[in-house]
Short mmCIF file of all heavy atoms in Angstrom, two decimals:
data_model
loop_
_atom_site.label_atom_id
_atom_site.label_comp_id
_atom_site.label_asym_id
_atom_site.label_seq_id
_atom_site.Cartn_x
_atom_site.Cartn_y
_atom_site.Cartn_z
N MET M 510 63.74 -97.71 -109.41
CA MET M 510 62.99 -96.68 -110.10
C MET M 510 62.37 -97.29 -111.36
O MET M 510 63.08 -97.83 -112.19
CB MET M 510 63.93 -95.53 -110.47
CG MET M 510 63.24 -94.45 -111.28
SD MET M 510 64.38 -93.16 -111.81
CE MET M 510 64.43 -92.19 -110.35
N PRO M 511 61.05 -97.25 -111.53
CA PRO M 511 60.40 -97.87 -112.69
C PRO M 511 60.66 -97.08 -113.96
O PRO M 511 60.80 -95.86 -113.94
CB PRO M 511 58.92 -97.86 -112.33
CG PRO M 511 58.77 -96.80 -111.31
CD PRO M 511 60.08 -96.70 -110.59
N ASP M 512 60.74 -97.79 -115.08
CA ASP M 512 60.92 -97.14 -116.38
C ASP M 512 59.61 -96.57 -116.87
O ASP M 512 58.55 -97.11 -116.61
CB ASP M 512 61.40 -98.16 -117.43
CG ASP M 512 62.81 -98.63 -117.16
OD1 ASP M 512 63.42 -98.13 -116.20
OD2 ASP M 512 63.28 -99.50 -117.89
N ALA M 513 59.67 -95.48 -117.62
CA ALA M 513 58.47 -94.95 -118.28
C ALA M 513 58.20 -95.80 -119.51
O ALA M 513 59.11 -96.22 -120.20
CB ALA M 513 58.70 -93.50 -118.68
N THR M 514 56.96 -96.09 -119.78
CA THR M 514 56.63 -96.95 -120.92
C THR M 514 56.19 -96.17 -122.14
O THR M 514 55.99 -96.74 -123.19
CB THR M 514 55.51 -97.93 -120.53
OG1 THR M 514 54.38 -97.18 -120.09
CG2 THR M 514 55.96 -98.88 -119.45
N ASP M 515 56.04 -94.84 -122.04
CA ASP M 515 55.59 -94.08 -123.19
C ASP M 515 56.71 -93.39 -123.94
O ASP M 515 56.48 -92.68 -124.90
CB ASP M 515 54.53 -93.06 -122.78
CG ASP M 515 55.06 -92.06 -121.79
OD1 ASP M 515 56.23 -92.16 -121.39
OD2 ASP M 515 54.29 -91.17 -121.39
N GLY M 516 57.95 -93.58 -123.51
CA GLY M 516 59.08 -93.00 -124.21
C GLY M 516 59.39 -91.57 -123.84
O GLY M 516 60.28 -90.98 -124.42
N THR M 517 58.71 -91.01 -122.86
CA THR M 517 58.95 -89.62 -122.51
C THR M 517 60.11 -89.45 -121.55
O THR M 517 60.82 -88.47 -121.61
CB THR M 517 57.69 -88.98 -121.89
OG1 THR M 517 57.31 -89.74 -120.76
CG2 THR M 517 56.56 -88.93 -122.90
N GLU M 518 60.31 -90.38 -120.64
CA GLU M 518 61.38 -90.27 -119.66
C GLU M 518 62.17 -91.58 -119.62
O GLU M 518 61.87 -92.46 -118.83
CB GLU M 518 60.81 -89.98 -118.27
CG GLU M 518 60.06 -88.68 -118.19
CD GLU M 518 59.46 -88.47 -116.82
OE1 GLU M 518 59.96 -89.06 -115.84
OE2 GLU M 518 58.50 -87.72 -116.71
N PRO M 519 63.21 -91.70 -120.44
CA PRO M 519 63.98 -92.95 -120.41
C PRO M 519 64.80 -93.03 -119.14
O PRO M 519 65.18 -92.03 -118.55
CB PRO M 519 64.87 -92.84 -121.64
CG PRO M 519 65.00 -91.38 -121.89
CD PRO M 519 63.70 -90.77 -121.44
N ALA M 520 65.05 -94.24 -118.71
CA ALA M 520 65.89 -94.46 -117.53
C ALA M 520 67.33 -94.06 -117.89
O ALA M 520 67.73 -94.17 -119.05
CB ALA M 520 65.82 -95.92 -117.11
N PRO M 521 68.09 -93.58 -116.92
CA PRO M 521 69.47 -93.19 -117.21
C PRO M 521 70.26 -94.37 -117.79
O PRO M 521 70.20 -95.48 -117.29
CB PRO M 521 70.03 -92.79 -115.85
CG PRO M 521 68.83 -92.51 -115.00
CD PRO M 521 67.73 -93.35 -115.54
N GLY M 522 70.98 -94.10 -118.87
CA GLY M 522 71.80 -95.14 -119.48
C GLY M 522 71.06 -96.05 -120.44
O GLY M 522 71.64 -96.96 -121.00
N LYS M 523 69.77 -95.86 -120.62
CA LYS M 523 68.99 -96.69 -121.53
C LYS M 523 68.43 -95.83 -122.66
O LYS M 523 68.05 -94.69 -122.43
CB LYS M 523 67.82 -97.37 -120.81
CG LYS M 523 68.25 -98.42 -119.82
CD LYS M 523 67.04 -99.14 -119.27
CE LYS M 523 67.44 -100.23 -118.30
NZ LYS M 523 66.29 -100.95 -117.79
N PRO M 524 68.36 -96.38 -123.88
CA PRO M 524 67.76 -95.59 -124.97
C PRO M 524 66.26 -95.44 -124.74
O PRO M 524 65.63 -96.28 -124.10
CB PRO M 524 68.04 -96.45 -126.21
CG PRO M 524 68.26 -97.83 -125.69
CD PRO M 524 68.82 -97.68 -124.32
N PRO M 525 65.65 -94.37 -125.27
CA PRO M 525 64.20 -94.19 -125.09
C PRO M 525 63.42 -95.29 -125.78
O PRO M 525 63.84 -95.80 -126.83
CB PRO M 525 63.92 -92.83 -125.72
CG PRO M 525 65.09 -92.55 -126.59
CD PRO M 525 66.25 -93.30 -126.05
N ARG M 526 62.31 -95.69 -125.18
CA ARG M 526 61.47 -96.72 -125.78
C ARG M 526 60.65 -96.13 -126.91
O ARG M 526 60.30 -94.96 -126.89
CB ARG M 526 60.51 -97.29 -124.73
CG ARG M 526 61.20 -98.13 -123.72
CD ARG M 526 60.18 -98.74 -122.81
NE ARG M 526 60.81 -99.69 -121.92
CZ ARG M 526 60.16 -100.57 -121.22
NH1 ARG M 526 58.85 -100.62 -121.28
NH2 ARG M 526 60.78 -101.40 -120.45
N LYS M 527 60.30 -96.97 -127.86
CA LYS M 527 59.44 -96.54 -128.94
C LYS M 527 58.01 -96.48 -128.43
O LYS M 527 57.63 -97.20 -127.53
CB LYS M 527 59.52 -97.52 -130.11
CG LYS M 527 60.86 -97.51 -130.79
CD LYS M 527 60.86 -98.45 -131.97
CE LYS M 527 62.19 -98.44 -132.65
NZ LYS M 527 62.23 -99.31 -133.81
N ARG M 528 57.22 -95.61 -129.04
CA ARG M 528 55.81 -95.51 -128.65
C ARG M 528 55.08 -96.76 -129.08
O ARG M 528 55.35 -97.32 -130.13
CB ARG M 528 55.17 -94.30 -129.32
CG ARG M 528 55.82 -93.01 -128.89
CD ARG M 528 55.10 -91.86 -129.50
NE ARG M 528 54.69 -91.06 -128.35
CZ ARG M 528 53.70 -90.23 -128.34
NH1 ARG M 528 52.98 -90.05 -129.40
NH2 ARG M 528 53.40 -89.55 -127.27
N ARG M 529 54.14 -97.20 -128.26
CA ARG M 529 53.37 -98.40 -128.57
C ARG M 529 52.09 -98.07 -129.33
O ARG M 529 51.49 -98.93 -129.92
CB ARG M 529 53.03 -99.13 -127.28
CG ARG M 529 54.29 -99.65 -126.61
CD ARG M 529 53.96 -100.46 -125.43
NE ARG M 529 53.30 -101.67 -125.90
CZ ARG M 529 53.17 -102.77 -125.20
NH1 ARG M 529 53.64 -102.81 -124.00
NH2 ARG M 529 52.56 -103.81 -125.67
N ARG M 530 51.66 -96.82 -129.29
CA ARG M 530 50.44 -96.43 -129.99
C ARG M 530 50.79 -95.67 -131.26
O ARG M 530 51.74 -94.91 -131.30
CB ARG M 530 49.57 -95.56 -129.09
CG ARG M 530 49.04 -96.32 -127.91
CD ARG M 530 48.11 -95.43 -127.11
NE ARG M 530 47.65 -96.17 -125.96
CZ ARG M 530 46.41 -96.56 -125.80
NH1 ARG M 530 45.50 -96.28 -126.67
NH2 ARG M 530 46.06 -97.23 -124.73
N VAL M 531 49.99 -95.87 -132.26
CA VAL M 531 50.19 -95.18 -133.52
C VAL M 531 49.70 -93.75 -133.40
O VAL M 531 48.65 -93.49 -132.84
CB VAL M 531 49.42 -95.92 -134.64
CG1 VAL M 531 49.51 -95.16 -135.94
CG2 VAL M 531 49.92 -97.33 -134.81
N THR M 532 50.49 -92.82 -133.90
CA THR M 532 50.05 -91.44 -133.95
C THR M 532 49.79 -91.10 -135.42
O THR M 532 50.62 -91.34 -136.28
CB THR M 532 51.09 -90.48 -133.36
OG1 THR M 532 52.33 -90.70 -134.00
CG2 THR M 532 51.24 -90.69 -131.87
N THR M 533 48.63 -90.56 -135.70
CA THR M 533 48.25 -90.21 -137.06
C THR M 533 47.94 -88.72 -137.14
O THR M 533 47.74 -88.06 -136.12
CB THR M 533 47.00 -91.00 -137.50
OG1 THR M 533 45.92 -90.69 -136.62
CG2 THR M 533 47.26 -92.50 -137.47
N THR M 534 47.88 -88.23 -138.34
CA THR M 534 47.52 -86.82 -138.52
C THR M 534 46.02 -86.68 -138.30
O THR M 534 45.25 -87.58 -138.62
CB THR M 534 47.89 -86.34 -139.93
OG1 THR M 534 47.25 -87.17 -140.88
CG2 THR M 534 49.39 -86.37 -140.15
N PRO M 535 45.57 -85.55 -137.75
CA PRO M 535 44.13 -85.36 -137.51
C PRO M 535 43.37 -85.25 -138.83
O PRO M 535 43.93 -84.86 -139.86
CB PRO M 535 44.05 -84.06 -136.72
CG PRO M 535 45.39 -83.44 -136.78
CD PRO M 535 46.36 -84.45 -137.26
N VAL M 536 42.11 -85.59 -138.79
CA VAL M 536 41.27 -85.50 -139.98
C VAL M 536 41.06 -84.03 -140.34
O VAL M 536 41.10 -83.16 -139.46
CB VAL M 536 39.90 -86.19 -139.76
CG1 VAL M 536 40.07 -87.66 -139.54
CG2 VAL M 536 39.15 -85.56 -138.62
N PRO M 537 40.85 -83.75 -141.62
CA PRO M 537 40.63 -82.36 -142.02
C PRO M 537 39.40 -81.77 -141.31
O PRO M 537 38.37 -82.41 -141.20
CB PRO M 537 40.37 -82.45 -143.53
CG PRO M 537 40.99 -83.74 -143.95
CD PRO M 537 40.89 -84.65 -142.76
N GLY M 538 39.53 -80.58 -140.80
CA GLY M 538 38.42 -79.91 -140.11
C GLY M 538 38.38 -80.19 -138.62
O GLY M 538 37.53 -79.66 -137.92
N ALA M 539 39.30 -81.02 -138.10
CA ALA M 539 39.32 -81.31 -136.67
C ALA M 539 39.81 -80.08 -135.90
O ALA M 539 40.71 -79.37 -136.35
CB ALA M 539 40.22 -82.50 -136.37
N ASP M 540 39.22 -79.83 -134.76
CA ASP M 540 39.59 -78.70 -133.91
C ASP M 540 40.86 -79.07 -133.15
O ASP M 540 40.88 -80.03 -132.39
CB ASP M 540 38.46 -78.38 -132.95
CG ASP M 540 38.68 -77.09 -132.18
OD1 ASP M 540 39.74 -76.45 -132.37
OD2 ASP M 540 37.79 -76.72 -131.40
N PRO M 541 41.96 -78.32 -133.31
CA PRO M 541 43.19 -78.67 -132.61
C PRO M 541 43.11 -78.48 -131.10
O PRO M 541 43.87 -79.07 -130.34
CB PRO M 541 44.23 -77.73 -133.22
CG PRO M 541 43.45 -76.61 -133.79
CD PRO M 541 42.11 -77.16 -134.16
N SER M 542 42.20 -77.65 -130.63
CA SER M 542 42.04 -77.46 -129.18
C SER M 542 40.54 -77.45 -128.85
O SER M 542 39.94 -76.40 -128.66
CB SER M 542 42.69 -76.16 -128.73
OG SER M 542 42.17 -75.08 -129.48
N PRO M 543 39.93 -78.65 -128.77
CA PRO M 543 38.50 -78.72 -128.50
C PRO M 543 38.17 -78.26 -127.08
O PRO M 543 39.02 -78.31 -126.19
CB PRO M 543 38.17 -80.20 -128.66
CG PRO M 543 39.45 -80.90 -128.38
CD PRO M 543 40.54 -79.97 -128.86
N PRO M 544 36.93 -77.80 -126.84
CA PRO M 544 36.55 -77.40 -125.48
C PRO M 544 36.50 -78.63 -124.57
O PRO M 544 36.27 -79.75 -125.02
CB PRO M 544 35.16 -76.80 -125.66
CG PRO M 544 34.64 -77.38 -126.92
CD PRO M 544 35.85 -77.64 -127.80
N SER M 545 36.74 -78.41 -123.29
CA SER M 545 36.71 -79.53 -122.35
C SER M 545 35.29 -80.05 -122.20
O SER M 545 34.31 -79.34 -122.39
CB SER M 545 37.26 -79.10 -120.99
OG SER M 545 36.48 -78.05 -120.48
N GLU M 546 35.20 -81.33 -121.84
CA GLU M 546 33.90 -81.97 -121.68
C GLU M 546 33.23 -81.46 -120.40
O GLU M 546 33.89 -81.29 -119.37
CB GLU M 546 34.11 -83.48 -121.58
CG GLU M 546 32.86 -84.28 -121.78
CD GLU M 546 33.15 -85.75 -121.94
OE1 GLU M 546 34.02 -86.10 -122.71
OE2 GLU M 546 32.46 -86.54 -121.26
N PRO M 547 31.92 -81.19 -120.44
CA PRO M 547 31.25 -80.68 -119.23
C PRO M 547 31.18 -81.74 -118.12
O PRO M 547 31.24 -82.94 -118.39
CB PRO M 547 29.85 -80.33 -119.73
CG PRO M 547 29.65 -81.16 -120.94
CD PRO M 547 31.01 -81.35 -121.55
N GLN M 548 31.07 -81.27 -116.87
CA GLN M 548 30.91 -82.17 -115.73
C GLN M 548 29.64 -82.99 -115.92
O GLN M 548 28.60 -82.43 -116.24
CB GLN M 548 30.74 -81.39 -114.43
CG GLN M 548 31.98 -80.97 -113.68
CD GLN M 548 32.91 -82.07 -113.28
OE1 GLN M 548 33.74 -82.40 -114.04
NE2 GLN M 548 32.84 -82.59 -112.09
N ARG M 549 29.71 -84.28 -115.70
CA ARG M 549 28.53 -85.12 -115.85
C ARG M 549 27.80 -85.32 -114.54
O ARG M 549 26.60 -85.47 -114.50
CB ARG M 549 28.93 -86.49 -116.41
CG ARG M 549 29.46 -86.40 -117.81
CD ARG M 549 29.76 -87.77 -118.34
NE ARG M 549 30.34 -87.68 -119.67
CZ ARG M 549 30.83 -88.68 -120.32
NH1 ARG M 549 30.84 -89.87 -119.79
NH2 ARG M 549 31.34 -88.52 -121.51
N HIS M 550 28.54 -85.37 -113.46
CA HIS M 550 27.95 -85.64 -112.15
C HIS M 550 28.49 -84.65 -111.14
O HIS M 550 29.63 -84.22 -111.22
CB HIS M 550 28.30 -87.06 -111.69
CG HIS M 550 27.86 -88.11 -112.65
ND1 HIS M 550 26.56 -88.47 -112.82
CD2 HIS M 550 28.56 -88.89 -113.51
CE1 HIS M 550 26.47 -89.43 -113.73
NE2 HIS M 550 27.68 -89.69 -114.18
N ALA M 551 27.67 -84.35 -110.18
CA ALA M 551 28.10 -83.48 -109.09
C ALA M 551 29.07 -84.24 -108.19
O ALA M 551 29.01 -85.47 -108.08
CB ALA M 551 26.90 -83.00 -108.28
N GLU M 552 29.96 -83.54 -107.54
CA GLU M 552 30.91 -84.16 -106.62
C GLU M 552 30.15 -84.81 -105.46
O GLU M 552 29.30 -84.20 -104.83
CB GLU M 552 31.85 -83.09 -106.06
CG GLU M 552 32.94 -83.62 -105.17
CD GLU M 552 33.97 -84.43 -105.93
OE1 GLU M 552 34.21 -84.15 -107.12
OE2 GLU M 552 34.53 -85.36 -105.33
N GLY M 553 30.39 -86.09 -105.22
CA GLY M 553 29.74 -86.81 -104.13
C GLY M 553 28.32 -87.25 -104.42
O GLY M 553 27.59 -87.65 -103.52
N GLU M 554 27.90 -87.21 -105.68
CA GLU M 554 26.51 -87.53 -106.03
C GLU M 554 26.13 -88.96 -105.66
O GLU M 554 25.01 -89.20 -105.21
CB GLU M 554 26.33 -87.33 -107.54
CG GLU M 554 24.93 -87.55 -108.04
CD GLU M 554 24.79 -87.26 -109.52
OE1 GLU M 554 25.71 -86.68 -110.12
OE2 GLU M 554 23.74 -87.63 -110.08
N ASN M 555 27.01 -89.91 -105.85
CA ASN M 555 26.69 -91.31 -105.58
C ASN M 555 27.27 -91.83 -104.27
O ASN M 555 27.21 -93.03 -104.00
CB ASN M 555 27.20 -92.20 -106.72
CG ASN M 555 26.36 -92.06 -107.96
OD1 ASN M 555 25.18 -91.79 -107.87
ND2 ASN M 555 26.98 -92.22 -109.10
N ASP M 556 27.83 -90.98 -103.44
CA ASP M 556 28.50 -91.44 -102.23
C ASP M 556 27.59 -92.26 -101.33
O ASP M 556 27.98 -93.33 -100.87
CB ASP M 556 29.06 -90.25 -101.44
CG ASP M 556 30.26 -89.62 -102.13
OD1 ASP M 556 30.71 -90.20 -103.15
OD2 ASP M 556 30.72 -88.58 -101.67
N GLU M 557 26.40 -91.79 -101.05
CA GLU M 557 25.49 -92.51 -100.15
C GLU M 557 25.10 -93.87 -100.74
O GLU M 557 25.08 -94.87 -100.04
CB GLU M 557 24.24 -91.68 -99.86
CG GLU M 557 23.34 -92.31 -98.80
CD GLU M 557 24.06 -92.50 -97.46
OE1 GLU M 557 24.91 -91.68 -97.09
OE2 GLU M 557 23.75 -93.51 -96.79
N ARG M 558 24.81 -93.90 -102.02
CA ARG M 558 24.42 -95.17 -102.65
C ARG M 558 25.58 -96.17 -102.61
O ARG M 558 25.38 -97.35 -102.38
CB ARG M 558 23.99 -94.94 -104.09
CG ARG M 558 23.59 -96.23 -104.74
CD ARG M 558 22.91 -96.03 -106.04
NE ARG M 558 22.54 -97.32 -106.59
CZ ARG M 558 21.90 -97.48 -107.71
NH1 ARG M 558 21.53 -96.44 -108.40
NH2 ARG M 558 21.62 -98.67 -108.15
N LEU M 559 26.80 -95.69 -102.84
CA LEU M 559 27.95 -96.59 -102.80
C LEU M 559 28.19 -97.14 -101.39
O LEU M 559 28.64 -98.27 -101.23
CB LEU M 559 29.20 -95.87 -103.31
CG LEU M 559 29.21 -95.58 -104.80
CD1 LEU M 559 30.38 -94.67 -105.15
CD2 LEU M 559 29.27 -96.85 -105.60
N ARG M 560 27.90 -96.36 -100.37
CA ARG M 560 28.06 -96.85 -98.99
C ARG M 560 27.02 -97.93 -98.66
O ARG M 560 27.30 -98.87 -97.94
CB ARG M 560 27.91 -95.69 -98.01
CG ARG M 560 29.10 -94.78 -97.97
CD ARG M 560 28.98 -93.75 -96.86
NE ARG M 560 29.95 -92.69 -97.06
CZ ARG M 560 29.69 -91.50 -97.58
NH1 ARG M 560 28.48 -91.19 -97.93
NH2 ARG M 560 30.65 -90.62 -97.72
N VAL M 561 25.81 -97.78 -99.19
CA VAL M 561 24.72 -98.73 -98.89
C VAL M 561 24.79 -99.96 -99.78
O VAL M 561 24.52 -101.06 -99.33
CB VAL M 561 23.36 -98.02 -99.08
CG1 VAL M 561 22.21 -99.00 -98.91
CG2 VAL M 561 23.22 -96.88 -98.09
N ASP M 562 25.15 -99.79 -101.04
CA ASP M 562 25.14 -100.86 -102.02
C ASP M 562 26.43 -101.67 -101.95
O ASP M 562 27.35 -101.49 -102.76
CB ASP M 562 24.96 -100.26 -103.41
CG ASP M 562 24.66 -101.31 -104.47
OD1 ASP M 562 24.25 -102.41 -104.09
OD2 ASP M 562 24.81 -100.99 -105.65
N LYS M 563 26.54 -102.57 -100.99
CA LYS M 563 27.72 -103.41 -100.81
C LYS M 563 27.41 -104.83 -101.21
O LYS M 563 26.29 -105.30 -101.03
CB LYS M 563 28.16 -103.40 -99.35
CG LYS M 563 28.61 -102.06 -98.85
CD LYS M 563 29.00 -102.16 -97.39
CE LYS M 563 29.34 -100.83 -96.83
NZ LYS M 563 29.59 -100.88 -95.39
N PRO M 564 28.39 -105.55 -101.72
CA PRO M 564 28.17 -106.97 -102.01
C PRO M 564 27.84 -107.73 -100.72
O PRO M 564 28.29 -107.36 -99.63
CB PRO M 564 29.50 -107.44 -102.57
CG PRO M 564 30.22 -106.21 -102.99
CD PRO M 564 29.71 -105.11 -102.12
N PRO M 565 27.07 -108.82 -100.81
CA PRO M 565 26.67 -109.55 -99.61
C PRO M 565 27.85 -110.07 -98.78
O PRO M 565 27.76 -110.13 -97.56
CB PRO M 565 25.84 -110.74 -100.14
CG PRO M 565 25.55 -110.43 -101.55
CD PRO M 565 26.51 -109.37 -102.01
N HIS M 566 28.95 -110.41 -99.40
CA HIS M 566 30.07 -110.97 -98.65
C HIS M 566 30.87 -109.90 -97.89
O HIS M 566 31.77 -110.22 -97.15
CB HIS M 566 31.01 -111.75 -99.60
CG HIS M 566 31.67 -110.90 -100.62
ND1 HIS M 566 31.05 -110.54 -101.80
CD2 HIS M 566 32.90 -110.32 -100.65
CE1 HIS M 566 31.87 -109.79 -102.51
NE2 HIS M 566 32.99 -109.64 -101.84
N TRP M 567 30.55 -108.63 -98.05
CA TRP M 567 31.23 -107.58 -97.32
C TRP M 567 30.65 -107.36 -95.92
O TRP M 567 31.20 -106.60 -95.14
CB TRP M 567 31.19 -106.27 -98.09
CG TRP M 567 32.23 -106.22 -99.16
CD1 TRP M 567 32.88 -107.27 -99.75
CD2 TRP M 567 32.75 -105.06 -99.78
NE1 TRP M 567 33.74 -106.84 -100.70
CE2 TRP M 567 33.69 -105.47 -100.75
CE3 TRP M 567 32.50 -103.71 -99.65
CZ2 TRP M 567 34.39 -104.59 -101.52
CZ3 TRP M 567 33.20 -102.84 -100.44
CH2 TRP M 567 34.14 -103.27 -101.36
N GLY M 568 29.56 -107.98 -95.63
CA GLY M 568 28.98 -107.92 -94.28
C GLY M 568 28.26 -106.73 -93.91
O GLY M 568 28.00 -105.72 -94.04
#
């Protein structure tokens, strides 16, 4: 069973790992719950191009 690397789920019998990323307080005026980012591309928009655009060694 692999260990979690972010410290959220320590392996049984092992102490939790420290976080590797620094957590800081948000800047004044930051929105604590920003709206989600809009969809940039339609589902399957590039599928046909990806099927045609193959490297030469793929045959």
Side-chain angles (χ1 to χ4, degrees):
M510 176 184 278
D512 291 357
T514 57
D515 61 359
T517 57
E518 298 178 23
K523 292 186 179 182
R526 289 185 173 195
K527 292 183 180 181
R528 298 184 123 204
R529 295 185 68 162
R530 294 184 182 248
V531 175
T532 54
T533 60
T534 57
V536 296
D540 189 358
S542 55
S545 60
E546 196 169 312
Q548 273 303 87
R549 293 184 183 172
H550 303 287
E552 185 69 31
E554 183 177 348
N555 286 330
D556 289 353
E557 187 59 34
R558 180 168 181 178
L559 289 171
R560 285 187 195 101
V561 174
D562 192 18
K563 295 179 185 174
H566 64 278
W567 279 21

